[in-house]
Amino acid sequence: IFDIEGEAGFREREARLLAELAERDGLLVATGGGVVTGEGNRAVLRRSGLVVWLPTSVQQQLRRLEKDRKRPLLQAPDRRERLERMARERNPLYESVADLVFRSPHRGVARAADDLTQAILAAQQGVTNPS
């Protein structure tokens, strides 16, 4: 999609799909990192359910994406600088729509999943439960 329609075409498709999914009940939707860059998408997220933000450091992203050479927005000579710029733009947007911010440094996958499940259940019940 990026090759043929560019980022704008991708974002249009992303927005249409997000709006469609937001009309359904009982779904867990994991969005791409740039979904929050569209104001319309942020409005959909705010009104459509519990929004969980899983913030991560640029260093952690670099480790996770070390061998991934297919992400169009990371085709840059300095991936760190690109990720830092994206974080400066996106993190405040995520913060503005998140109902729950879940940080999971130094937890194994199973422990993080269990802790996140408990945090979501608490958030759904209106209980303050910092991660």
Side-chain angles (χ1 to χ4, degrees):
I1 296 170
F2 265 79
D3 288 345
I4 296 168
E5 299 177 22
E7 185 176 2
F10 176 85
R11 296 292 173 212
E12 286 177 30
R13 288 170 181 259
E14 178 180 60
R16 282 195 308 267
L17 184 57
L18 179 65
E20 178 185 320
L21 294 173
E23 296 298 319
R24 299 183 191 175
D25 290 327
L27 293 182
L28 171 80
V29 179
T31 67
V35 74
V36 295
T37 61
E39 176 56 45
N41 291 345
R42 292 192 303 276
V44 168
L45 290 168
R46 283 185 191 105
R47 71 174 179 264
S48 64
L50 182 73
V51 177
V52 179
W53 176 31
L54 307 170
T56 186
S57 69
V58 168
Q59 186 61 35
Q60 189 174 32
Q61 291 176 59
L62 286 168
R63 279 194 306 272
R64 288 178 183 169
L65 299 168
E66 184 176 12
K67 295 179 182 166
D68 185 336
R69 299 290 173 218
K70 296 186 181 202
R71 292 178 186 260
L73 295 180
L74 293 182
Q75 302 305 312
D78 188 343
R79 289 179 123 197
R80 175 180 296 282
E81 189 279 326
R82 175 74 54 97
L83 286 167
E84 287 171 351
R85 186 166 20 102
M86 290 166 69
R88 283 191 302 274
E89 175 192 5
R90 295 173 179 186
N91 287 355
L93 301 175
Y94 275 109
E95 191 171 354
S96 76
V97 298
D99 298 303
L100 172 64
V101 178
F102 183 79
R103 291 176 173 79
S104 61
H106 314 297
R107 300 182 207 199
V109 173
R111 171 76 191 276
D114 287 344
D115 291 350
L116 178 56
T117 299
Q118 294 306 310
I120 289 171
L121 291 171
Q124 289 174 328
Q125 295 172 9
V127 176
T128 303
N129 184 13
S131 55

